[in-house]
């Protein structure tokens, strides 16, 4: 098949500038790229033709030769796209030959640990030590993984890039593919003699104790992060993070309701009727609470600001005191006598509503 004129292929004049050529190529390559235009069986041939024309006309020397001799000049024809992947990248951005670069080190894993604290610790905040086994930087090789006195050398296979590029001839040009270098595992460096302590990992598992500050106001289910307290990275890579899940143990007196602390307090029948001043346990010591006369069972009193602190704010919850009126179960003869007297005086006078059934 006779070759079409390159200028004709790109639809430009013979005196087109470099810019014109580039613009025309981009426009046409987008339109005729087989990946974009899969339905057109002719797309591949057209695309190849466009790319070929561009390869010649965008190169000043080749363009001069072409202008002078046309297609007849030997060696002038399409001999693969030398800069195919550059063209590809130019037209399709990252979509084309994408190079994969990998870090020479790897970040260590994150760790998660549970920590159980008492409610009072949640109230005040606490510092706790936890013991765990985790990878730490190898002291012997200072995390490099190389035997002390030696240092990692550049991988000759990939020239330290960690990436191997292979050129594949396809019907529409040379495709450059990249893959991770097998020899160095993409790290670009090779350790000729590995550290015997860590086996070239640059890290070793060790038992360690970590001090953890638990903020006041921590509640069950809270997860917080301690930066850099996870495992050491491969060959000196950065440490992972440590996540701490908090569990607050149940308390003998308090029930946690959000930031409020609820407790029950039983008073006697007489205290409920006559009123009283009672001593209430709080985490900051006993507090006096005045119970007014005629207090009903189930009444809730509030000690402001005696609850749990709110995380990230200065607010605090309250301590709630739910009053229970204890009904006496064992009465002495004298007590029985008094209750009988009370009953005789009449419940109406006590201000208690009579039940409907009476
Ligand atoms: Zn080591
Ligand atoms: Zn390599």
């Amino acid at each position: 098949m006779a070759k079409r004129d390159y200028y004709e292929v790109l639809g430009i004049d013979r005196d087109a500038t470099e810019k014109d050529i580039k613009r025309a190529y981009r426009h046409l390559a987008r339109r005729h790229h087989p990946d974009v235009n899969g339905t057109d069986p002719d797309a591949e041939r057209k695309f190849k033709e466009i790319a070929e024309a561009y390869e010649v006309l965008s190169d000043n020397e080749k363009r001069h030769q072409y202008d002078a001799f046309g297609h007849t000049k030997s060696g002038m024809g399409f001999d693969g796209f030398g800069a195919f992947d550059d063209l590809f990248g130019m037209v399709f951005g990252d979509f084309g030959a994408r190079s994969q670069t990998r870090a020479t080190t790897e970040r260590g894993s994150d760790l998660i640990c549970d920590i159980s604290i008492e409610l009072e610790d949640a109230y005040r905040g606490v510092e706790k030590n936890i013991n765990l086994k985790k990878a730490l930087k190898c002291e012997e090789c200072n995390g490099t993984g190389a035997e002390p006195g030696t240092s990692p050398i550049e991988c000759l296979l990939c020239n330290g890039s960690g990436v191997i590029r292979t050129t594949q001839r396809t019907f529409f040009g040379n495709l450059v593919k990249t893959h991770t270098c097998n020899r160095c595992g993409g790290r670009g460096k090779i350790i000729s003699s590995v550290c015997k302590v860590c086996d070239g990992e640059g890290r070793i598992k060790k038992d360690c104790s970590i001090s953890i500050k638990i903020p006041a106001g921590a509640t069950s289910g809270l997860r917080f992060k301690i930066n850099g307290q996870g495992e050491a990275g491969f060959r000196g890579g950065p440490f992972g993070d440590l996540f701490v899940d908090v569990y607050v143990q149940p308390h003998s007196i308090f029930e946690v309701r959000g930031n409020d602390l609820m407790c029950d307090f039983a008073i006697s029948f007489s205290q409920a009727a006559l009123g009283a001043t009672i001593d209430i346990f709080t985490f900051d010591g006993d507090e006096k609470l005045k119970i007014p006369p005629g207090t009903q069972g189930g009444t809730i009193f509030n000690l402001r600001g005696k609850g749990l602190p709110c995380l990230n704010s200065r607010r605090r919850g309250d301590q709630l005191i739910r009053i229970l009126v204890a009904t006496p179960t064992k009465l002495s003869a004298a007590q029985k006598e008094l209750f009988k007297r009370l009953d005789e005086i009449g419940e109406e006078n006590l201000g208690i509503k009579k039940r409907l059934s009476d």
Side-chain angles (χ1 to χ4, degrees):
M1 190 167 65
K3 272 184 187 286
R4 280 170 74 206
D5 178 67
Y6 287 150
Y7 290 95
E8 197 189 313
V9 169
L10 294 182
I12 49 175
D13 293 326
R14 295 196 86 82
D15 58 359
T17 63
E18 271 178 41
K19 235 179 171 178
D20 296 333
I21 294 168
K22 207 172 236 179
R23 197 186 304 122
Y25 168 71
R26 273 190 190 165
H27 174 74
L28 290 168
R30 269 205 196 98
R31 226 172 75 192
H32 294 288
H33 190 272
D35 286 358
V36 181
N37 222 324
T39 48
D40 183 358
D42 220 20
E44 276 157 5
R45 191 194 54 77
K46 277 183 196 155
F47 184 72
K48 184 179 161 183
E49 190 180 46
I50 293 157
E52 182 183 342
Y54 178 70
E55 205 212 345
V56 173
L57 298 186
S58 63
D59 181 321
N60 264 341
E61 202 184 315
K62 286 183 185 172
R63 187 179 175 185
H64 282 308
Q65 281 191 331
Y66 178 73
D67 287 344
F69 307 104
H71 291 301
T72 53
K73 170 81 178 155
S74 68
M76 190 54 239
F78 182 63
D79 61 354
F81 302 92
F84 185 77
D85 70 340
D86 294 335
L87 299 182
F88 208 88
M90 189 181 91
V91 180
F92 296 100
D94 267 351
F95 170 74
R98 195 178 305 168
S99 69
Q100 301 164 322
T101 42
R102 195 166 150 184
T104 53
T105 54
E106 279 162 31
R107 185 177 173 275
S109 312
D110 292 335
L111 294 173
I112 301 175
C113 73
D114 293 327
I115 199 157
S116 171
I117 59 168
E118 290 182 18
L119 185 58
E120 190 165 355
D121 294 335
Y123 184 80
R124 302 187 197 287
V126 70
E127 201 162 334
K128 286 246 171 193
N129 280 315
I130 54 158
N131 299 311
L132 46 88
K133 208 181 180 88
K134 68 168 185 173
L136 293 174
K137 191 168 87 174
C138 173
E139 299 293 340
E140 184 71 11
C141 61
N142 198 28
T144 61
E147 187 68 8
T150 71
S151 44
I153 51 164
E154 199 176 89
C155 172
L156 294 177
L157 196 63
C158 61
N159 291 320
S161 67
V163 171
I164 303 280
R165 293 162 84 90
T166 50
T167 307
Q168 205 175 23
R169 270 179 183 269
T170 69
F171 47 83
F172 63 98
N174 291 346
L175 265 181
V176 176
K177 283 192 171 171
T178 59
H179 62 86
T180 305
C181 174
N182 293 331
R183 187 148 181 258
C184 62
R187 297 185 180 96
K189 282 191 172 160
I190 288 203
I191 290 173
S192 46
S193 50
V194 297
C195 168
K196 286 174 189 72
V197 174
C198 64
D199 241 356
E201 281 269 308
R203 58 184 172 187
I204 32 172
K205 289 255 183 199
K206 273 187 184 166
D207 289 312
C208 51
S209 178
I210 299 170
S211 171
I212 293 174
K213 268 204 174 93
I214 295 161
T219 46
S220 282
L222 171 76
R223 167 176 283 191
F224 63 96
K225 180 174 148 189
I226 306 176
N227 291 331
Q229 280 287 12
E231 298 210 279
F234 180 80
R235 287 187 192 162
F239 277 72
D241 300 320
L242 175 65
F243 292 88
V244 180
D245 285 340
V246 175
Y247 173 73
V248 181
Q249 293 159 25
H251 190 263
S252 57
I253 296 173
F254 294 120
E255 183 189 316
V256 179
R257 293 189 169 186
N259 287 95
D260 294 336
L261 295 174
M262 170 78 113
C263 64
D264 286 334
F265 195 95
I267 57 173
S268 71
F269 194 71
S270 318
Q271 283 176 314
L274 302 171
T277 300
I278 55 175
D279 284 326
I280 294 291
F281 171 85
T282 79
F283 281 131
D284 295 323
D286 284 0
E287 289 233 349
K288 301 260 180 236
L289 180 67
K290 251 185 120 124
I291 306 286
T295 293
Q296 302 293 319
T299 303
I300 291 171
F301 293 98
N302 193 339
L303 285 177
R304 277 216 168 274
K306 290 288 170 192
L308 293 172
C310 302
L311 278 176
N312 311 319
S313 103
R314 304 183 116 186
R315 236 177 52 78
R316 295 187 77 101
D318 301 331
Q319 181 169 334
L320 308 173
I321 301 109
R322 182 169 47 200
I323 296 299
L324 304 177
V325 177
T327 305
T329 49
K330 276 184 198 164
L331 294 174
S332 64
Q335 286 167 325
K336 251 183 201 166
E337 202 51 43
L338 285 170
F339 274 108
K340 270 187 190 155
R341 284 285 314 276
L342 274 175
D343 197 40
E344 282 160 18
I345 292 165
E347 286 188 340
E348 301 91 72
N349 298 342
L350 295 174
I352 301 170
K353 279 193 190 125
K354 288 200 102 186
R355 281 170 294 161
L356 286 170
S357 57
D358 285 350

